[in-house]
Amino acid sequence: MLTQSEENYLKAIFSLSEHYSEIVSTNLLAEKMKTKPSSVTDMLRKLADKSLVSYLKYQGCELTEKGKESALQIIRKHRLWEVFLVEKLNFGWEEVHDIAEQLEHIKSSKLTDRLDEFLHFPKVDPHGDPIPDCNGKYSNDQKNKKLSSLSLNDEVMITGVEDGSAEFFQFLKHCKIELGTKVKIVAKYNFDQSVLIFINEQEIVLSELVSQKIYVQ
Amino acid sequence: MLTQSEENYLKAIFSLSEHYSEIVSTNLLAEKMKTKPSSVTDMLRKLADKSLVSYLKYQGCELTEKGKESALQIIRKHRLWEVFLVEKLNFGWEEVHDIAEQLEHIKSSKLTDRLDEFLHFPKVDPHGDPIPDCNGKYSNDQKNKKLSSLSLNDEVMITGVEDGSAEFFQFLKHCKIELGTKVKIVAKYNFDQSVLIFINEQEIVLSELVSQKIYVQ
DNA sequence: ATTAATTTTTAGACAAGACTAAAAATTAAT
DNA sequence: ATTAATTTTTAGTCTTGTCTAAAAATTAAT
Ligand SMILES: [Mn+2]
Ligand SMILES: [Mn+2]
Ligand SMILES: [Mn+2]
Ligand SMILES: [Mn+2]
């Protein structure tokens, strides 16, 4: 049985190895977990003892198959609960992450599967992130093209946003950026990689940081 | 902010002071919590520091108003989740307690209140236990008369059962005892306080222990 | 009123998970 | 190839919640 802390580490390693390289360094993981590198070292030992990560001193860590499966089950629960909160309890997509961070640790695969069924087996969560099925399988269609990668005059639809900080959602809300909103690239500014987009009948400038956190298709 | 452990202690003290006396002894609490009296002493100090219980060495403990409120909020969550699991996810009443033990610790009063609304503000949980409202108020109609207190030829309806052990629910399932089932007292045996009841077109003997865990009206 | 039994608390230890400060290993720069 | 900077680990400490064994207080029995 995994502790909540162990589960959070697994999720963090999974996310970092997706975004960066397969092998995750101690410092990067410490930053992600908002903790100290020394604490990470301690935890990596424990996870390695349970064969959830492969870990060699000074070489960083990597999830084992078992570790990847565990991580995906937690991610599955997180995203299903987010769907539940938005679809059934009328929460906004900006409110659900923190509550899902708690709910993802509830231990009952029967509950997870029944919830999945109750929600009619959703394929994506409120932020466009794919939801693994009970075997951990998922397809990533809506989150492979970033708004920042588009060319002039491209017309696309928003299919996902990075899930996380409250300030970011505040900004999205202000611009009325939602899943399904249509966007056209009006101009690209090379000096700071910002883009001018046409959205909701008006033009808005998005910084590079923001445009990298919005996914389109 | 309360830890899960602190919340579990509060719930246990609340339950014991309802069933026995207002003031709860260290040993009784230790038994209920399946832990050692010395651990209870430690915890009572912490809860007293947070003004959740009043505690005097060797005199046992008692919930303060604040402690009672906290306990009721946890019980509220526990029971709402039980309703959710039975009504929405089609769990049996015997399966939900353990999952609710986890869900009751999720911290978000907004979630609790939305869930309450989603379930149409239920007054009782699947075992007939009253659900406190967002202010902690509840009325106890269906759990004040025990089956064991009935007289010969009394005809009643089952309105509640003690929520807890799996073996007990196994037995209830076998006898097809559910909320709403009608029961008549056919005989009472004084030598062991067992009762003979007519239920679901047949006669069954219930031990004193069982008949004290079934509530009627 | 003593003695005996029971209950409760203290003292000391342990595991999990975190932290700081210092040491060691690795990587980068000269 | 050394030296310098960075990364990572070790050593030691802290808190929470638990435990055992021993001491103290309370309650019950003679
Ligand atoms: Mn999320
Ligand atoms: Mn999400
Ligand atoms: Mn229950
Ligand atoms: Mn119940």
Side-chain angles (χ1 to χ4, degrees), chain B residues 78-79 82 96-98 100-101 104 125 127 129 163-164:
Chain B
H78 182 103
R79 294 180 182 166
E82 285 190 344
V96 298
H97 183 77
D98 291 343
E101 285 290 309
E104 72 189 3
D125 84 357
H127 313 100
D129 289 298
D163 180 16

Side-chain angles (χ1 to χ4, degrees), chain A residues 26-27 41 45 55 57-58:
Chain A
T26 301
N27 264 13
T41 303
R45 287 236 165 74
Y55 164 67
K57 273 166 82 165
Y58 294 100

